Amino acid sequence: MKRHIFAARENVQIGDFDRRRHSRHDGAGLVVELEGQSLPVIDVSTGGISLRDLDRKIGARFRLVLTRSGGLAGIATECEVVGKEGRLVRLTFTRPTLPLLRLVVAHVSTLTGVPPHLLKFE
């Protein structure tokens, strides 16, 4: 059995491995409000978001407000920086709440045209 695991690893190219458990979706229409700045969301999942040009170190935790463009009120949440790739900064939701997850699911539903109750997130 170990031979099969090794053979499978041999075929994997560096960069093919994605640690994410949640599918990413386009963040167009979502905005983060942080310390008086409004930053567009690059991509979003039920596990976190990606932003561009955010000056934070990996491991930094902070609060922000996630809002849909034209939405009434945003949802405050705590995030942690888990990765940086050039100008892209990846954040994970450290304490996702039901209102936050509803906002993300409603956004993905709008993008995909799939009713929210039929969406499956891995």
Side-chain angles (χ1 to χ4, degrees):
M1 182 166 176
K2 288 183 181 179
R3 184 169 22 136
H4 297 291
I5 292 171
F6 180 74
R9 286 185 185 164
E10 236 175 53
N11 294 329
V12 174
Q13 300 287 326
I14 294 175
D16 284 350
F17 180 68
D18 190 359
R19 295 182 309 164
R20 294 178 62 85
R21 290 182 286 165
H22 310 285
S23 301
R24 291 184 184 141
H25 300 277
D26 186 11
L30 292 176
V31 178
V32 164
E33 296 172 19
L34 175 65
E35 298 173 352
Q37 288 184 312
S38 291
L39 303 168
V41 174
I42 305 304
D43 63 44
V44 64
S45 74
T46 53
I49 58 176
S50 296
L51 303 174
R52 189 168 281 131
D53 297 329
L54 181 66
D55 188 25
R56 300 289 170 125
K57 294 182 180 182
I58 293 178
R61 284 186 175 214
F62 51 93
R63 294 190 61 78
L64 54 77
V65 176
L66 182 63
T67 304
R68 291 179 79 180
S69 295
L72 298 175
I75 306 296
T77 189
E78 182 180 270
C79 289
E80 180 179 351
V81 178
V82 293
K84 292 180 106 173
E85 299 171 26
R87 295 173 47 199
L88 194 66
V89 179
R90 303 221 183 267
L91 309 173
T92 187
F93 300 129
T94 56
R95 297 178 184 171
T97 61
L98 187 56
L100 174 69
L101 296 175
R102 282 185 178 147
L103 186 148
V104 171
V105 169
H107 174 75
V108 172
S109 175
T110 300
L111 288 177
T112 61
V114 176
H117 65 281
L118 296 178
L119 288 173
K120 291 185 181 181
F121 292 93
E122 297 176 7

